[in-house]
Amino acid sequence: MNTSVRKNTRTLDLYVRLCEGKIINKKEESLRFGVDERSIQRDIDDIRAFLCDRTAEHTAKNREIVYDRSKGGFVMAGGKSSLMDNDEILAVSKILLESRAFTKKEISTILDKMITGCVPQKNMKLVSDLIANEKYHYVELHHKSVVKDKLWMLGEEIKECNLLEISYQKQVASKELVKRVVEPVGIIFSEYYFYLNAFIVKKDQNGKYVQKYDYPAIFRVDRISKFWELGEKFKIAYTNRFEEGEFRKRVQFMFPGKLERIRFRYTGRNVEAVLDRLPTAKIISGEEDGVILEAEVFGKGILMWILSQGTSIEILHPQSLRDEMYKICSKLAEMYAKDTTD
């Protein structure tokens, strides 16, 4: 390799590492590349000139190479870094481990890639040590399915508005497979699993696919054994488009169903926890015997959460939901009234 090629390679290497937020120490780099420190300084000057020219030509945010005494080297300053900060890397690593969304092999690869972005380099070991125990004891889910590739492919189908037929395993124990024709509209993560939101469709008298329900069905992605395009596109009016964020606010434990407004009394100690759990909830009034709230929810998953709150929550409206809760509580009372002692 001739001298000019070596210099270009060296300068590019330094530039990429500066863009990644790395610290460039002249002495360390001179030893790394086998050149004197003056050569490294000329490389840095060339990068400075390049950044100056780009700022002038493209009116981009001013980025420059500065010497940071506290870090003992040159760093890229100005503009907004596209890389995560060390505290962000640590926080996201903890969240990923807690989610248990991936297989042990997948989570290990993802975390290793994230931690490699830590700067300075000594922080790589610090972050690794802080999550080492959780990483070692990480328990993957029983389905052990690799979902990353499937998520990406489904994402492309959603983007292209392709009508799909899916083969879906309804129950793990029975391994019953059903086929559904669907309009895929979104992907959501909740309670350990990724879910596909899709409108189930059927053919009308004219042979045209129409939505079977006015709300989307929910399919666990790991249970979708395969899917294929039917060669047709579907259209949803912009005003009726599916918005994952809005749907997520109104669904509990991924139980689908119609949208309805509920009212309930809360007598617990921390109403903020209720407002965090139900983003659509609003306080209507405060009483001596509790706080009255209203919220919009999809499906009957809300009953599972309300049951977890014991006597802290009483459903006031609609009467149908109140009646259903009464039936559940009656069955529970009957169940626990039985004497199970020998």
Side-chain angles (χ1 to χ4, degrees):
M1 187 181 293
N2 62 45
T3 304
S4 62
V5 173
R6 284 199 301 269
K7 172 178 168 50
N8 291 341
T9 301
R10 186 177 68 240
T11 304
L12 284 171
D13 181 88
L14 294 175
Y15 174 69
V16 169
R17 286 161 59 214
L18 283 164
C19 289
E20 292 174 342
K22 301 295 192 294
I23 300 164
I24 301 299
N25 179 280
K26 284 199 297 185
K27 184 176 181 180
E28 292 176 359
E29 298 304 324
S30 66
L31 293 173
R32 179 170 175 248
F33 288 106
V35 296
D36 58 37
E37 292 184 31
R38 288 176 298 176
S39 296
I40 301 299
Q41 182 61 58
R42 284 193 289 270
D43 293 337
I44 292 171
D45 290 340
D46 289 342
I47 295 172
R48 279 173 167 162
F50 169 72
L51 291 175
C52 185
D53 290 342
R54 280 190 60 81
T55 300
E57 290 177 10
H58 303 285
T59 63
K61 288 185 178 180
N62 186 33
R63 292 193 301 166
E64 58 180 337
I65 310 302
V66 298
Y67 184 80
D68 190 323
R69 290 184 180 278
S70 64
K71 296 178 179 178
F74 292 90
V75 296
M76 181 86 77
K80 188 174 182 180
S81 174
S82 60
L83 299 173
M84 297 171 68
D85 295 332
N86 296 336
D87 55 348
E88 293 171 333
I89 291 172
L90 177 59
V92 173
S93 297
K94 290 284 187 178
I95 293 170
L96 283 172
L97 286 164
E98 177 65 22
S99 75
R100 295 174 61 198
F102 303 98
T103 64
K104 196 161 188 173
K105 183 177 180 181
E106 285 179 302
I107 197 70
S108 180
T109 300
I110 292 170
L111 292 175
D112 288 346
K113 287 180 179 179
M114 289 177 57
I115 294 170
T116 301
C118 287
V119 291
Q121 294 294 304
K122 64 181 181 181
N123 285 355
M124 288 177 61
K125 185 176 187 309
L126 175 60
V127 174
S128 295
D129 290 345
L130 287 171
I131 66 171
N133 187 262
E134 286 179 273
K135 188 177 178 182
Y136 178 78
H137 291 288
Y138 181 80
V139 180
E140 61 186 2
L141 299 177
H142 287 284
H143 65 71
K144 301 182 186 297
S145 298
V146 176
V147 297
K148 289 196 289 89
D149 294 342
K150 198 181 293 184
L151 288 176
W152 181 256
M153 290 188 288
L154 286 170
E156 290 183 312
E157 304 292 357
I158 293 168
K159 182 68 175 176
E160 296 299 322
C161 296
N162 288 325
L163 196 66
L164 301 179
E165 184 168 343
I166 65 172
S167 181
Y168 186 70
Q169 185 177 339
K170 291 184 67 175
Q171 299 294 335
V172 175
S174 66
K175 295 186 178 180
E176 177 190 0
L177 286 175
V178 296
K179 290 183 179 181
R180 296 285 186 267
V181 178
V182 299
E183 298 173 349
V185 291
I187 295 173
I188 288 180
F189 175 79
S190 177
E191 316 289 346
Y192 307 125
Y193 306 110
F194 288 98
Y195 295 87
L196 172 69
N197 296 92
F199 287 96
I200 297 176
V201 297
K202 62 179 181 178
K203 286 187 177 181
D204 62 12
Q205 295 178 343
N206 299 318
K208 182 180 179 181
Y209 283 108
V210 295
Q211 292 180 2
K212 193 173 181 179
Y213 309 103
D214 59 0
Y215 54 86
I218 301 172
F219 302 94
R220 255 177 55 181
V221 171
D222 62 281
R223 290 187 183 176
I224 299 176
S225 59
K226 59 182 178 179
F227 59 90
W228 53 93
E229 299 173 7
L230 295 181
E232 291 188 35
K233 303 283 185 179
F234 63 90
K235 291 183 180 180
I236 296 179
Y238 182 79
T239 53
N240 296 327
R241 72 191 186 284
F242 179 80
E243 297 181 89
E244 288 98 327
E246 291 300 316
F247 181 81
R248 188 66 187 84
K249 291 178 186 177
R250 294 166 172 81
V251 69
Q252 297 295 316
F253 302 107
M254 289 296 122
F255 272 68
K258 66 179 183 179
L259 181 67
E260 59 184 341
R261 183 176 294 275
I262 66 169
R263 187 183 307 120
F264 57 94
R265 178 184 291 111
Y266 177 71
T267 57
R269 292 179 295 178
N270 186 6
V271 71
E272 286 185 359
V274 177
L275 296 172
D276 287 340
R277 181 73 196 192
L278 305 175
T280 63
K282 294 180 181 179
I283 296 175
I284 302 303
S285 63
E287 302 177 349
E288 290 185 4
D289 58 346
V291 178
I292 307 298
L293 299 98
E294 283 190 352
E296 283 187 343
V297 296
F298 278 110
K300 299 298 176 60
I302 187 66
L303 292 176
M304 293 179 62
W305 177 75
I306 290 176
L307 283 166
S308 74
Q309 301 304 299
T311 58
S312 296
I313 288 182
E314 177 190 359
I315 296 174
L316 302 177
H317 179 80
Q319 185 63 41
S320 59
L321 204 62
R322 185 179 173 89
D323 292 343
E324 192 160 351
M325 179 61 80
Y326 177 80
K327 291 179 182 178
I328 294 172
C329 291
S330 297
K331 288 181 179 179
L332 285 172
E334 184 181 343
M335 181 190 303
Y336 283 100
K338 295 177 182 177
D339 187 357
T340 59
T341 57
D342 295 331

